């Protein structure tokens, strides 16, 4: 059965071609521009199932304009010069036609994809197969742009592979997408456990004698995979195919343990004694909490939250709501704020087709990631960053106040 080859259809087919296993791949992530959240396209009603295939959405702004999709991770198709990048950033420009696919402006799509190459590694144009001429393929090949042909059956074919190119300074949009690509499969945007000692402890378990998993379960918590994921998120551990290793930051945790307790084993015994304690970490182990705070402040979402609360404090808001903070965060760095605060499946409610924030939905607690108002907030509380812990009760999310323990600037 033939399908309508409008741009949303073409883009969804291209996304599935380049990232067919994105739901299970730990190092791939793709975001679609908010214009595709609209319900119709040139008078054609976009099926809900198609919009779901294109999710999640974010506001995508690059120097050369608004790409249709940004992806992170090596595509499943052939890539020229693929050894030059392990996790390339990819842009897709989709071109289609509601009634006559052969009239699609492929040349414009090639030009648009090529214009993004100074900021990304791979560029693709996707278009109906009947519109792709030999001249268009040659033009794309000369510009290092890949070409994906979409047939009226919905099937696709890579007719020209893309070539990896170098990229200069990444924009805030790409930084946000790259950050989410490194975390979304680890936690789906949430921290897996809510106490910072559980991440520090994983670094110590790697350095200790014996099996890391056994050492960790015996001395820290039984949720081994959760502790490991948190340690990776905070850049204490580098996950490699041949096994985990400590980063420079993780090695500093080990050095601190030896300085404070005489060795890793002795430190882990102390960690074991903390299991089940609800005492705030800043009171339970002030020096360890300060170290953990230094680690956490290097994580981009931590800095975004702190800056948002600082700005609100300057405006006279002492006990902010999550809605206050999320809105302020979008004013600082909207692409990152969207990735950090909002559930992937509710972004079409938060973002307008023009890429703006719909303030009216910020009071709906269901739009927020649970990790922000539960695990992550508790971590910041234990570190002495915010004044109160989090909640996992969606009904209480909007009333759960956010405030800095120590704001830098004082009110005038």
């Amino acid at each position: 059965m033939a399908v309508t080859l409008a741009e949303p259809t073409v883009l969804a087919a291209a996304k599935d071609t380049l990232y067919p296993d994105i739901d299970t791949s730990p190092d791939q992530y793709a975001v679609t521009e908010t214009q595709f959240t609209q319900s119709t396209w040139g008078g054609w009603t976009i099926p809900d199932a198609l919009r779901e295939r294109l999710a999640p959405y974010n506001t995508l702004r690059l120097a050369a304009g608004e790409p249709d999709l940004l992806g992170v991770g090596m595509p499943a198709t052939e890539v020229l010069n693929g050894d030059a990048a392990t996790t390339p950033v990819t842009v897709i420009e989709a071109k289609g036609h509601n009634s006559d696919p052969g009239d699609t402006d492929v040349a414009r799509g090639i030009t648009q994809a090529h214009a993004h190459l100074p900021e990304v590694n791979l560029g693709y144009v996707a278009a109906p197969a009947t519109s792709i001429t030999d001249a268009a393929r040659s033009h794309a090949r000369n510009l290092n742009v890949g070409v994906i042909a979409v047939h009226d059956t919905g099937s696709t074919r890579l007719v020209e592979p893309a070539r990896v190119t170098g990229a200069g300074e990444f924009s805030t949009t790409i930084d946000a997408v790259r950050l989410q690509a490194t975390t979304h499969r680890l936690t789906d945007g949430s921290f897996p456990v809510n106490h910072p000692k559980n991440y520090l402890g994983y670094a110590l378990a790697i350095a200790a004698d014996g099996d890391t998993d056994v050492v960790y379960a015996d001395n820290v918590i039984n949720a081994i995979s959760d502790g490991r994921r948190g340690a990776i998120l905070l850049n204490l551990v580098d996950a490699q195919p041949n096994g985990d290793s400590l980063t420079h930051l993780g090695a500093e945790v080990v050095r601190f343990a030896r300085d404070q307790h005489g060795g890793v084993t002795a430190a882990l015994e102390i960690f074991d004694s903390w299991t089940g304690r609800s005492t705030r970490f800043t009171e339970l182990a002030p020096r360890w909490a300060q170290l953990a705070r230094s680690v956490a402040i290097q994580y981009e979402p931590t800095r975004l939250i702190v800056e948002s609360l600082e700005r609100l404090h300057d405006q006279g808001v002492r006990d902010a709501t999550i809605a206050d903070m999320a809105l302020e965060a979008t004013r600082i760095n909207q692409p990152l704020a969207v990735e950090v605060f909002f559930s992937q499946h509710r972004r079409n409610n938060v973002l307008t087709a023009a890429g703006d924030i719909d303030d009216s939905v910020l009071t709906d607690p269901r739009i927020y990631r649970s990790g922000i108002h539960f695990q992550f907030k508790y971590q910041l509380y234990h570190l002495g960053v915010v004044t109160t812990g989090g909640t996992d009760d969606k009904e209480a999310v909007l009333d759960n106040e956010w405030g800095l323990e120590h704001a830098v600037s004082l009110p005038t």
Side-chain angles (χ1 to χ4, degrees):
M1 180 179 178
V3 297
T4 300
L5 293 180
E7 285 185 19
T9 304
V10 172
L11 183 60
K15 176 185 176 182
D16 293 344
T17 298
L18 297 181
Y19 304 110
D21 302 315
I22 200 165
D23 289 337
T24 57
S25 177
D27 57 358
Q28 291 183 338
Y29 184 62
V31 181
T32 301
E33 219 287 318
T34 53
Q35 62 178 311
F36 290 93
T37 62
Q38 57 190 313
S39 59
T40 62
W41 197 271
W44 173 65
T45 300
I46 306 174
D48 289 341
L50 181 59
R51 295 168 70 191
E52 183 64 25
R53 285 169 62 193
L54 291 173
Y57 300 91
N58 204 335
T59 305
L60 304 180
R61 301 289 187 269
L62 301 185
E66 304 168 4
D68 293 335
L69 181 144
L70 274 178
V72 175
M74 188 61 72
T77 57
E78 178 189 2
V79 171
L80 302 178
N81 198 29
D83 293 340
T86 54
T87 54
V89 179
T90 299
V91 69
I92 302 176
E93 291 287 358
K95 294 301 172 188
H97 202 286
N98 286 27
S99 57
D100 190 351
D103 285 346
T104 299
D105 192 352
V106 181
R108 183 166 179 264
I110 294 171
T111 300
Q112 290 174 323
H114 177 258
H116 294 306
L117 288 182
E119 290 188 272
V120 302
N121 304 114
L122 290 166
Y124 290 88
V125 62
T130 55
S131 68
I132 300 172
T133 63
D134 289 343
R137 291 180 57 175
S138 177
H139 183 49
R141 193 183 313 125
N142 291 334
L143 295 178
N144 295 322
V145 171
V147 180
I148 299 171
V150 181
H151 299 276
D152 59 6
T153 59
S155 64
T156 62
R157 182 168 62 95
L158 180 72
V159 295
E160 291 294 337
R163 180 181 296 276
V164 171
T165 64
E169 289 294 320
F170 286 126
S171 67
T172 55
T173 294
I174 292 179
D175 282 340
V177 175
R178 284 168 61 88
L179 171 73
Q180 186 64 3
T182 63
T183 64
H184 83 290
R185 286 300 157 212
L186 293 170
T187 61
D188 194 21
S190 306
F191 266 79
V193 283
N194 58 19
H195 200 296
K197 62 101 174 171
N198 297 324
Y199 313 132
L200 301 174
Y202 193 81
L204 297 182
I206 287 180
D209 293 332
D211 180 81
T212 297
D213 288 359
V214 173
V215 170
Y216 188 77
D218 287 346
N219 294 278
V220 189
I221 54 172
N222 288 322
I224 300 165
S225 62
D226 289 344
R228 175 179 179 270
R229 286 179 286 169
I232 294 171
L233 280 174
L234 292 175
N235 195 34
L236 297 173
V237 171
D238 185 15
Q240 296 293 332
N242 58 349
D244 295 339
S245 62
L246 294 175
T247 63
H248 290 294
L249 199 58
E252 282 301 307
V253 172
V254 174
R255 294 186 184 99
F256 183 83
R258 288 172 176 160
D259 178 68
Q260 292 292 300
H261 306 290
V264 172
T265 300
L268 283 167
E269 290 174 356
I270 297 295
F271 272 55
D272 191 20
S273 72
W274 294 336
T275 301
R277 299 282 296 274
S278 59
T279 307
R280 197 176 187 184
F281 203 35
T282 51
E283 301 172 9
L284 182 66
R287 296 200 66 183
W288 273 105
Q290 187 59 50
L291 174 65
R293 181 171 177 155
S294 298
V295 170
I297 203 64
Q298 298 181 54
Y299 184 53
E300 280 291 333
T302 304
R303 296 202 290 267
L304 180 65
I305 287 172
V306 170
E307 185 177 354
S308 300
L309 290 174
E310 282 282 5
R311 289 191 178 193
L312 289 168
H313 185 275
D314 290 345
Q315 297 165 25
V317 180
R318 298 295 179 271
D319 296 313
T321 66
I322 193 170
D324 295 329
M325 187 173 59
L327 182 59
E328 192 65 33
T330 63
R331 293 166 178 158
I332 297 169
N333 185 338
Q334 181 170 313
L336 179 60
V338 169
E339 297 295 337
V340 168
F341 283 93
F342 305 124
S343 170
Q344 291 186 19
H345 298 292
R346 298 302 298 271
R347 292 190 197 166
N348 57 324
N349 301 111
V350 178
L351 292 163
T352 69
D356 300 320
I357 300 294
D358 183 353
D359 298 5
S360 67
V361 303
L362 297 182
T363 53
D364 180 354
R366 297 169 298 175
I367 68 174
Y368 298 103
R369 293 182 180 276
S370 63
I372 279 293
H373 56 72
F374 182 43
Q375 294 99 329
F376 193 30
K377 191 184 180 196
Y378 258 116
Q379 183 191 179
L380 297 179
Y381 168 71
H382 276 295
L383 297 178
V385 176
V386 297
T387 55
T388 59
T391 178
D392 62 348
D393 180 0
K394 282 293 184 185
E395 298 301 319
V397 167
L398 297 178
D399 296 325
N400 187 236
E401 296 176 341
W402 291 73
L404 285 176
E405 190 76 53
H406 303 288
V408 171
S409 44
L410 297 174
T412 56

